Amino acid sequence: MKQTLMGNDAIAWGLIHANVDMVSGYPGTPSSEILSGVQKIKKMLSLPVYAEWGANEKVGFEVAYAGAIAGKRACATMKQVGLNVASDALMSAAYIGNLGSMLLVSADDPGFYSSQTEQDSRVFAKFARIPVLDPSTPQDAYDFTKLGVELSEKFKIPVMLRPVMRVCHAREIIEMDDTTEFKPNEGKFVRDVPRWGAVPRDGRFAQGLDQLERVEVIAKYNWDHFLKPQFDGCKGGELLIITSGTGYGFTQETLKDLGLEADVVKIIMPYPLPVKEIQACFDAYDKVLIVEEPYPCIEEQIAHPKVYGKNTDTVHKIDEMKKEEILKAFQKIGFYKGENIYEAPKIDLGFSVPARPPALCPGCPHRDVYYAIMKVFKRKKSIYPSDIGCYTLGIAQGAIDSLLCMGASVAMASGYSIADPSKDVVATIGDGTFFHSGIPPLLNAIYQGHRFVLVILDNSTIAMTGRQVTPSRVHQPIDIKKIVEGMGVECMEHHYSHHMHENVDFFKKVKEKYDQSTSGPTVVVVREFCILDAERASDFVPNIYVKVDEDLCVACDQCTTVYKCPPMSYNDKGKIEIDPFLCAGCAGCLEIVCPTDAFVVDENYLKKGK
Amino acid sequence: MKYQVVIAGFGGQGVVFLVKVLAICAGNRDIAFLGTENHGMSQRGGAVSCDIKIGDFTNPVIDKNQADVIIGLDSNESLRNIAFLKTGGTMVVNAKADYPSLPFAVARVDANAKALQGAFPIQGLNVYMLGVALASVKDFPFSIEEVKNAIMQMNPKVAQQNIKILQMAMNDCK
Ligand SMILES: Cc1ncc(C[n+]2csc(CCOP(=O)(O)OP(=O)(O)O)c2C)c(N)n1
Ligand code: SF4
Ligand code: SF4
């Protein structure tokens, strides 16, 4: 059956068609639509599938992995930095293995489109000594998902599927199974303490020996099934190109565009590689070029004097794949001598196109909360550690001084408060991130008596990654305030208001409490909403649209430099204007934001056709 | 066939809807299709562009100097992506009359002004601009009938409104 699918939907269908009935994970771009895709299919076909978000990636992985131990076909999904969080579990699972099937999907993001790092999950698979499959297209993603599930059950070890963003978020017409005959494995835990409970040193040592042997066996399988058939069809000559993942598609197109021919081998399983067998094929060529992203994972395994790639400065080392980069690599090794056909002619517009930097949505409550915090805790006397989420975009307002990784704001607030006690440390963290990894560092701060302000921005959703539900909203709702109180400290609560003075007044109270405190954190939860949250937003947005009274606007820049709502920009007359198509009707800018009160209610606002 | 289209706008303008429409058009004619989205961290209001490759391709990204058409739902976003348009390509753009002159064929309409006058709700801007592309790009790979069918297939409930807007754009460009 032909279907136009996004890569992540293709993976979701692959899981269902491979009879996977336990899917757990944590949202993260570009992986999030895999689990939500499974949820949709489950609903559509009424399938008996467990498909739920875990509290974080480690939890998600462990839920699925236990299923795989008990004979189920299971899958955990996450983005590449999520694998850092799950890595402790993965490293041991790679020794212990599974009876059913354990597919780990870790989606990479070459080019840093929505990630803090450009790390390569294939290298992680190599580190953990588990096989990894690298799809080139959504079709591959579907096929390799099914393949990965089979291989995991065959070799009794977790298998990684590593799609990159250009696979996850690519759309293609793919060929998939006509029907869904869903036949999941029966779950049956078989007691085997020496295996599931292997204790150091002897138990794990023995599993380590098995692991080494298994890697050899899988490398041989890789050769027999995936590589030998391709090498058998190769002609030999000037250049052999070895690629994997998206590198394959980019290489094929570049060759076609330039009218060149070379043998191209697509590595389906970049680890473990049958190194000797591959290197033996180099005799038939002058040079071997490796095209892969983002790290030189294959290149380092099959290093050889004939091999060119990132480590020889032939292929670019950072940023995502482009045909232009492959063309340049061809030029460097003397395989292509023509011009750069991917160079755009220079066009002088006579002006530079204004940047559109990432910004919080028009009407997002995070903006107002940051604004209020900064009105009370002044920049000069404060340090603002923050965290990962939509609220990270508050950096444009000057409301954030440092970012590290999910959950770090709290422990870093501890650290700053110790290192520079002359400053007020005011940390911000989203509710999703608090649940994910903000609780242990808060516990730490409380029992160590670290003095700072922690503001938990509770919009009851994981907004940045597409509005997945947080533990405060499903099954047995969990309240952040009670968690904080359970640790023995008060949790000040405020409901976001579109009357800015109410937000400012609240933070004045927070400052009073903080000023009076001598030890321990002052914890605050601000109840917000996400303007894109169809279920909740309409209960909160006042639908009061705003325009500018041009007589009052003195072009002071306050709104465009400190408050920064996207609809606000200067018009031809040098006055601020509000783009009626962008304004969300939140009324947040009516108070305090403009020193001359130039923002006024637009009674005639053209109602959006809802 | 080989045809490459970049659709440029900002979050909330419905860029991805157009990708889905064109994918269905390709599917109905059994032509291969690859597409991808480029966007930053913003959910609303950030720059968004989509690459659409129809025909014999093996990767979804459009390189510089390759696109046959850019459909710009916003003037600045169209210019931000100008390097992708190939020599001889067409720029279809929603922009005011002060849009700069370019060394390409340009089909410009001020669709914002039309929406403000109430000709169609602003949510229909994406479909309106697709109509402009259908009317003004001679070698556009799909016919109006094919696009209408695709819109029907996507969601029959709201299709009539979109088809009306599409037709309006075609008439406006006559
Ligand atoms: C370890 C890790 N997992 C997942 C992500 C992807 N991610 C980015 S922001 C975010 C959570 C945002 O949720 P929340 O803290 O509630 O803030 P909001 O976006 O709702 O403002 C996630 C999961 C990540 N960056 N790092
Ligand atoms: S998606 Fe929601 S939380 Fe994120 S910036 Fe927009 S309104 Fe704010
Ligand atoms: S009312 Fe003001 S703050 Fe709210 S979205 Fe409109 S311009 Fe932005």
Side-chain angles (χ1 to χ4, degrees), chain A residues 109-391:
Chain A
D109 189 14
F112 304 86
Y113 281 91
S114 32
S115 307
Q116 311 96 293
T117 73
E118 204 185 38
Q119 66 191 74
D120 189 327
S121 297
R122 299 175 309 161
V123 177
F124 226 125
K126 181 170 173 285
F127 184 41
R129 297 184 176 150
I130 59 161
V132 53
L133 304 174
D134 192 4
S136 305
T137 57
Q139 178 72 60
D140 272 1
Y142 173 78
D143 295 336
F144 291 9
T145 298
K146 291 164 72 178
L147 176 66
V149 171
E150 294 300 330
L151 291 179
S152 174
E153 200 162 282
K154 179 180 172 63
F155 294 109
K156 304 280 177 243
I157 198 72
V159 169
M160 182 192 288
L161 178 76
R162 190 290 299 244
V164 297
M165 185 272 268
R166 295 298 181 192
V167 173
C168 291
H169 287 173
R171 226 172 270 277
E172 186 183 23
I173 301 167
I174 74 157
E175 184 67 51
M176 64 177 203
D177 292 356
D178 290 327
T179 52
T180 304
E181 286 163 34
F182 193 60
K183 288 202 201 79
N185 291 357
E186 194 195 339
K188 201 168 173 211
F189 178 77
V190 181
R191 177 167 293 126
D192 183 356
V193 180
R195 182 161 187 200
W196 312 132
V199 180
R201 157 181 150 92
D202 291 352
R204 282 297 169 90
F205 191 89
Q207 287 182 335
L209 292 175
D210 288 348
Q211 184 183 61
L212 290 173
E213 199 181 304
R214 189 165 50 231
V215 166
E216 294 292 317
V217 172
I218 299 174
K220 170 96 175 36
Y221 184 94
N222 194 355
W223 175 252
D224 292 341
H225 289 79
F226 304 139
L227 291 167
K228 186 166 181 299
Q230 290 188 61
F231 277 108
D232 285 349
C234 283
K235 296 195 279 277
E238 186 183 342
L239 182 67
L240 167 68
I241 305 174
I242 294 182
T243 70
S244 95
T246 48
Y248 176 75
F250 281 81
T251 300
Q252 292 290 20
E253 269 187 32
T254 313
L255 288 170
K256 257 191 215 160
D257 289 353
L258 302 178
L260 296 171
E261 273 186 31
D263 284 340
V264 181
V265 167
K266 169 172 158 177
I267 305 252
I268 289 168
M269 187 193 282
Y271 178 84
L273 288 178
V275 175
K276 286 203 189 72
E277 287 84 347
I278 295 177
Q279 285 174 338
C281 301
F282 296 171
D283 292 347
Y285 302 90
D286 299 336
K287 285 174 183 164
V288 179
L289 180 70
I290 315 290
V291 182
E292 60 183 326
E293 68 178 348
Y295 285 7
C297 174
I298 295 171
E299 184 182 343
E300 285 178 359
Q301 290 179 74
I302 57 172
H304 184 279
K306 282 188 182 175
V307 164
Y308 293 81
K310 294 174 192 282
N311 288 342
T312 55
D313 287 327
T314 311
V315 181
H316 70 294
K317 291 181 175 168
I318 187 166
D319 211 351
E320 69 165 331
M321 196 65 71
K322 283 191 187 69
K323 288 198 274 185
E324 188 175 9
E325 299 290 353
I326 299 176
L327 179 149
K328 284 182 186 162
F330 287 168
Q331 286 175 329
K332 282 186 201 163
I333 55 171
F335 183 61
Y336 174 65
K337 296 183 184 69
E339 59 176 34
N340 181 355
I341 60 164
Y342 305 123
E343 202 161 46
K346 290 261 172 308
I347 297 168
D348 185 14
L349 296 171
F351 64 96
S352 56
V353 181
R356 196 185 279 280
L360 292 163
C361 297
C364 177
H366 290 334
R367 173 182 292 107
D368 296 30
V369 174
Y370 277 129
Y371 192 82
I373 291 175
M374 290 171 72
K375 277 272 165 208
V376 177
F377 293 93
K378 299 287 181 197
R379 259 178 81 85
K380 268 194 200 141
K381 284 203 212 140
S382 308
I383 306 173
Y384 307 129
S386 189
D387 226 299
I388 316 288
C390 278
Y391 53 95

Side-chain angles (χ1 to χ4, degrees), chain A residues 362-363 546 563 565 568 578 583-584 586-589:
Chain A
V546 167
Y563 187 68
C565 190
M568 299 168 179
I578 289 187
C583 177
C586 82
C589 55

Side-chain angles (χ1 to χ4, degrees), chain A residues 26-29 57 79 81-83 85 114-116 366 388-392 405-406 429-434 436 457 459 461-465 470 530:
Chain A
Y26 194 77
T29 314
E57 291 85 355
K79 70 179 297 178
V81 289
L83 184 55
V85 177
S114 32
S115 307
Q116 311 96 293
H366 290 334
I388 316 288
C390 278
Y391 53 95
T392 303
C405 59
M406 274 184 88
I429 187 169
D431 59 319
T433 305
F434 181 73
H436 174 280
L457 306 165
N459 57 11
T461 187
I462 303 176
M464 169 130 276
T465 48
T470 51
C530 162

Side-chain angles (χ1 to χ4, degrees), chain A residues 503-560:
Chain A
N503 302 322
V504 174
D505 288 349
F506 171 73
F507 279 102
K508 284 184 184 156
K509 277 190 232 140
V510 172
K511 181 136 195 322
E512 268 168 38
K513 175 156 190 264
Y514 167 76
D515 285 342
Q516 283 159 14
S517 75
T518 50
S519 168
T522 302
V523 186
V524 170
V525 61
V526 183
R527 309 294 189 182
E528 304 179 354
F529 58 92
C530 162
I531 201 117
L532 302 185
D533 187 339
E535 266 177 41
R536 290 178 81 234
S538 57
D539 297 345
F540 296 94
V541 183
N543 286 317
I544 299 171
Y545 294 85
V546 167
K547 65 181 178 183
V548 174
D549 183 336
E550 290 193 355
D551 295 336
L552 293 178
C553 175
V554 293
C556 68
D557 276 354
Q558 277 292 310
C559 57
T560 47

